[in-house]
Amino acid sequence: DLLGVGNGLDLPKPLVARVNGQAYGGGVGLISVCDAAIAVEGARFGLTETRLGLIPATISPYVAARIGPAALLRFATSARLFDAQVAREIGLLSGVVAPEKLDEAVEGEIAPYFSASPEAVAATKSLAHALAAPIDEKLIETTLTRLADTWETSAAAEGIAAFLEKRKANWVL
């Protein structure tokens, strides 16, 4: 269950994200469980938890499955923001369009699904997820435990306080 809304992986129907703005942390996680994602030019993305002294634990299995461990490491450990073109290059997005073309692009992404057998689509999604590394209860429990442990650190206390006080954390140069 990703952020209380299901993980999208067991959904038998295609799930397409329409991204019209910024997506940080959990937003990147939500995009990661979609079968396709179209974003507007100018959208920004980031796995920014480490700026708060935290880790992207809950979403990390889904993000790693979508963009790969190397990209997850690069973006999550640095908390760097990236644009829609980079998001497409790393596999987070399937398309990037001008804002006025977003609805048309999403409709274009959805249209082919209507000619496919719903049963075959569900079976294909199940097969694709079976071929990938499993995201099971044990992995979810591990990520939750690691996140809970991180919340107990002095870095998390400082990072969250700095965020709430709109100041730089004491580790920022």
Side-chain angles (χ1 to χ4, degrees):
D1 189 311
L2 178 65
L3 307 176
V5 296
N7 67 23
L9 301 181
D10 56 0
L11 182 67
K13 298 181 186 309
L15 182 59
V16 177
R18 178 185 186 278
V19 183
N20 189 16
Q22 313 332 315
Y24 303 121
V28 172
L30 289 172
I31 294 167
S32 295
V33 301
C34 294
D35 301 303
I38 310 293
V40 297
E41 298 165 341
R44 305 273 296 160
F45 303 85
L47 296 162
T48 57
E49 290 85 349
T50 57
R51 288 185 188 177
L52 300 176
L54 299 172
I55 61 174
T58 308
I59 63 169
S60 61
Y62 307 101
V63 177
R66 182 66 175 248
I67 67 173
L72 173 65
L73 279 171
R74 178 173 186 232
F75 293 105
T77 58
S78 67
R80 75 180 71 218
L81 301 182
F82 52 100
D83 64 21
Q85 294 302 330
V86 170
R88 185 170 186 191
E89 290 168 12
I90 64 174
L92 182 63
L93 300 176
S94 38
V96 178
V97 299
E100 65 274 8
K101 299 284 188 181
L102 183 59
D103 290 336
E104 179 183 337
V106 170
E107 290 299 320
E109 182 66 37
I110 293 169
Y113 293 116
F114 293 112
S115 64
S117 157
E119 293 82 9
V121 168
T124 301
K125 286 185 66 167
S126 177
L127 173 63
H129 295 301
L131 296 172
I135 299 174
D136 56 17
E137 291 301 318
K138 182 179 178 188
L139 180 58
I140 299 300
E141 183 62 33
T142 298
T143 63
L144 294 174
T145 299
R146 288 183 180 201
L147 179 59
D149 291 346
T150 304
W151 271 97
E152 300 297 322
T153 67
S154 59
E158 166 60 14
I160 293 165
F163 176 78
L164 293 174
E165 296 167 9
K166 298 182 184 344
R167 62 173 173 81
K168 290 182 180 181
N170 63 13
W171 58 76
V172 177
L173 302 177

